[in-house]
Amino acid sequence: MAGQADNRAPYARIAAHYAELIASGELQPGTLMPSIKNLSEEWRVSTATVEKALRKLRNDGLIRGIHGIGTEVLDPPSPMSSGSQRQDRGRRTGSSWGDGERSDSHRAGVVPAPADVAQALDVQPGSEVVRRSRVYRDRHGIVAHSTSWIPARYAQLIPQLAMSERLTGGTSLQLISEATGHPISHRIDTASASRLTPEYAELLELDPDDTPADPVVVMTAKFVDSEGNVVEYGVDLGGPGRTWRTESEVVA
């Protein structure tokens, strides 16, 4: 959020800054990055710190070095993100969007729970649940079709959960935690590859007569609060050609 201190290491801040410029399109593929010397002076850090930042960008597939010329911006990879990653982003930045992402096609309503959703939410099949769906996009196209399933009792506390519009005031999990006073304590994630069914093709806005043969990534996330209540069950369907990526620190 605005005003929050950025406690990341200097190299990480530099890498994140240029990753955002690349993802937003401000730095186009083929553009040359500033020299190590110029970056060192601009950011007031050592050349070793700049080299570490550039190494991270290279490892992320965002840039490449060209001998005798400089460092060139590449067309960035387009990974999908899971519901858990969006929860982390929302808590950290106030927005669930990834770099260069936006969301649209927001739909919501109260519906009977399908059997798999009922099992995940620990409710009876056919019980009323809120179904919220939206499409995440970037400049490459659809990143993921995302559906959140929420027990209907939370819509009584937060009516906008059942409204077909983008939520205001935070993510669904943040709003529920604030309304109940019970923070999210843990989550259960799954990831799998699935055949591209006609239903999936429709959700991903694909031509039914020309669908890719490759499988798609399906990710689920079940969120549980401090009282042991299942608050939300999310299902993310990755767009064709999308991969799932995660990164974490390795402590020696």
Side-chain angles (χ1 to χ4, degrees):
M1 296 181 184
Q4 280 188 325
D6 189 340
N7 296 319
R8 291 174 295 184
Y11 87 89
R13 291 201 299 272
I14 296 169
H17 172 76
Y18 282 99
E20 184 175 344
L21 293 181
I22 293 169
S24 68
E26 188 170 338
L27 278 179
Q28 290 289 316
T31 303
L32 291 180
M33 292 278 291
S35 70
I36 290 176
K37 180 176 182 294
N38 287 343
L39 287 171
S40 174
E41 292 174 352
E42 178 184 351
W43 289 84
R44 298 181 181 178
V45 296
S46 68
T47 56
T49 295
V50 172
E51 288 171 349
K52 189 173 182 181
L54 294 178
R55 185 161 59 248
K56 174 169 173 50
L57 292 171
R58 284 196 300 272
N59 290 340
D60 290 346
L62 299 179
I63 62 173
R64 66 168 180 171
I66 303 176
H67 183 68
I69 297 178
T71 303
E72 179 189 35
V73 173
L74 298 174
D75 197 28
S78 306
M80 69 172 287
S81 55
S82 67
S84 296
Q85 289 169 316
R86 286 198 294 274
Q87 181 207 17
D88 290 340
R89 278 199 298 261
R91 186 175 61 246
R92 188 173 64 249
T93 69
S95 171
S96 64
W97 296 333
D99 290 336
E101 281 186 3
R102 67 187 189 282
S103 63
D104 58 34
S105 304
H106 290 254
R107 301 285 184 271
V110 177
V111 300
D116 61 325
V117 172
Q119 182 177 10
L121 292 178
D122 195 22
V123 299
Q124 290 295 318
S127 299
E128 288 191 338
V129 295
V130 174
R131 180 185 187 274
R132 293 191 57 83
S133 65
R134 58 273 187 203
V135 176
Y136 288 89
R137 306 177 195 267
D138 62 15
R139 63 194 182 91
H140 295 273
I142 290 182
V143 176
H145 181 282
S146 182
T147 304
S148 297
W149 301 90
I150 303 168
R153 65 180 180 275
Y154 294 116
Q156 297 174 4
L157 293 173
I158 312 160
Q160 69 165 317
L161 289 177
M163 298 178 183
S164 295
E165 56 190 33
R166 184 179 292 118
L167 294 176
T168 59
T171 65
S172 54
L173 292 168
Q174 290 171 322
L175 293 172
I176 292 171
S177 293
E178 290 171 3
T180 63
H182 302 145
I184 303 301
S185 61
H186 66 283
R187 66 197 185 205
I188 302 166
D189 301 319
T190 72
S192 61
S194 176
R195 181 175 59 87
L196 185 60
T197 64
E199 177 188 2
Y200 286 171
E202 181 178 359
L203 292 176
L204 294 172
E205 303 174 9
L206 298 173
D207 182 349
D209 298 322
D210 186 26
T211 55
D214 294 337
V216 292
V217 179
V218 179
M219 304 195 67
T220 71
K222 183 161 67 172
F223 299 91
V224 182
D225 71 13
S226 58
E227 298 296 300
N229 301 305
V230 181
V231 170
E232 183 173 313
Y233 175 60
V235 181
D236 289 286
L237 176 64
R242 302 284 173 159
T243 58
W244 177 64
R245 176 185 167 194
T246 184
E247 180 178 334
S248 59
E249 295 289 336
V250 176
V251 180

